[in-house]
Amino acid sequence: MHYKNLGPMAVLGLLLFGDSFSTAPVSAGLILTPSGTVVIEASPIPDEARVKLTSGLISGVENFSGRYFGETKGDIYVSENGHLVFAATAAGEADFFPVPLGSSRASIAPLWEDYLLIQSTVDQPVNNAVLADYSPGQYLAVTWQNVRLFLEAVGGQQFPDTNRSAQVVWFEGDTTIRGFEFKKDDIAFGYVPHTSGTDFGDITAVAGLDKGDGTFSAIQGTTDGSLNASQGNLLAPGENNFLLFRPGVAGATPSIFTADSFQGGYYRGAFTLTAVPEPSSIGLCLVSVAIAAGFSIRRKISRFSCSKRHHCLINQPKST
């Protein structure tokens, strides 16, 4: 493409236009685009294995200072089964079986179920994975992306394709994402359904925060965080929706929450992020503005040049 006849602002517009298409969009339903390190790509053996994030696997996570029920956690493990925990699997412990909140097992569970991450093959290429991303001073994010249920296959057939995804974002500091102001120690859950709408498949899951001493904060609409296939609407599955847990004390209700949303040390609620225009729309707007500005500047320069040239011709001494 030749730029020399457009002017500098028009050229800038075209460059911005091209660059706008390289911006990765946020995955529908999730707070952040899944990124960072793939910590689990296929279900480990034994199935109950957990991966320690604070072992140098994710740079800097060992210094993460986010608080959980008012305490910082020295070790953070991720389970393939949709939750974070703070200890390695104990002997005989069944990590794949969701335990209702209020137990002795501390966990952060956006969607604790019995997942199966399939190894990609030529016959069945898949893109399931568990990813972790740490932004120092802002958040620790873990995403269970395109995860299948262990019992989802029927009669020896291949596992069905799925969009089922869950994400937890644990905030280390005040952070604004797409117009929403998250506060230090907030914990947010984002979701993508199995197919569409509120369909998360035939789940028997647990979702919420468990301190591990009987104290817990469940997602609203449940008694102890337990939910089934008919309750997918409780997971705020809309494109820009998410669930938020904010630490606090009873009676001192944060402005965006209701007083009756308090449970176990956290206020709970469903909220919406500000929608982001499609990259193509942003690019077209930038192009229109920049090119218009470029041509405007070029016309002014042309007029000035002509005026100056005319003035010079008038005042030029006559030849003799």
Side-chain angles (χ1 to χ4, degrees):
M1 181 177 291
H2 298 288
Y3 296 146
K4 65 179 182 180
N5 295 321
L6 292 179
M9 291 302 293
V11 172
L12 176 61
L14 289 171
L15 293 175
L16 289 171
F17 177 71
D19 185 62
S20 69
F21 282 102
S22 66
T23 303
V26 174
S27 296
L30 299 181
I31 301 159
L32 298 166
T33 300
S35 62
T37 301
V38 174
V39 294
I40 305 174
E41 193 166 20
S43 291
I45 299 174
D47 188 46
E48 293 81 7
R50 298 168 177 172
V51 176
K52 187 176 182 180
L53 297 181
T54 48
S55 62
L57 179 64
I58 310 297
S59 178
V61 174
E62 66 276 6
N63 299 317
F64 180 70
S65 62
R67 292 176 296 182
Y68 187 57
F69 287 95
E71 302 175 351
T72 56
K73 296 295 184 179
D75 292 324
I76 303 173
Y77 294 77
V78 58
S79 165
E80 66 165 319
N81 293 314
H83 60 295
L84 301 180
V85 293
F86 310 106
T89 308
E93 187 176 10
D95 185 78
F96 63 87
F97 187 80
V99 177
L101 303 178
S103 69
S104 59
R105 300 171 62 177
S107 64
I108 298 175
L111 194 63
W112 183 0
E113 240 282 13
D114 187 7
Y115 295 144
L116 179 68
L117 277 71
I118 302 174
Q119 181 68 52
S120 185
T121 65
V122 174
D123 294 333
Q124 187 176 19
V126 295
N127 59 346
N128 55 200
V130 180
L131 303 97
D133 187 26
Y134 176 49
S135 180
Q138 294 186 304
Y139 57 77
L140 171 63
V142 178
T143 307
W144 292 261
Q145 186 176 30
N146 302 329
V147 287
R148 293 159 178 79
L149 305 180
F150 189 85
L151 299 177
E152 205 159 31
V154 178
Q157 299 178 7
Q158 289 185 334
F159 281 85
D161 289 336
T162 183
N163 296 316
R164 184 190 298 108
S165 300
Q167 183 179 75
V168 56
V169 185
W170 185 358
F171 289 89
E172 187 173 37
D174 294 354
T175 304
T176 299
I177 297 176
R178 295 168 60 197
F180 192 91
E181 296 180 359
F182 293 95
K183 300 298 183 183
K184 175 175 169 54
D185 301 323
D186 277 358
I187 295 176
F189 295 162
Y191 302 93
V192 177
H194 168 50
T195 54
S196 61
T198 62
D199 174 29
F200 281 84
D202 191 17
I203 57 172
T204 304
V206 167
L209 312 180
D210 196 330
K211 186 178 179 181
D213 65 354
T215 305
F216 66 89
S217 189
I219 64 167
Q220 290 179 292
T222 69
T223 302
D224 55 11
S226 299
L227 68 162
N228 57 41
S230 68
Q231 296 174 296
N233 62 303
L234 300 181
L235 298 175
E239 183 172 352
N240 299 302
N241 299 337
F242 64 97
L243 301 180
L244 180 64
F245 295 80
R246 177 165 293 174
V249 295
T253 308
S255 59
I256 61 173
F257 293 87
T258 60
D260 61 359
S261 69
F262 183 78
Q263 183 186 40
Y266 283 84
Y267 286 90
R268 307 158 296 160
F271 298 94
T272 303
L273 296 168
T274 302
V276 178
E278 289 296 321
S280 56
S281 301
I282 298 173
L284 289 173
C285 289
L286 288 172
V287 168
S288 300
V289 172
I291 289 180
F295 283 132
S296 177
I297 291 172
R298 187 170 178 81
R299 281 198 297 271
K300 289 180 181 178
I301 292 173
S302 298
R303 289 198 202 101
F304 176 76
S305 299
C306 291
S307 176
K308 185 175 180 181
R309 183 169 177 272
H310 181 65
H311 176 75
C312 291
L313 290 173
I314 291 175
N315 291 284
Q316 202 173 35
K318 294 181 180 180
S319 58
T320 56

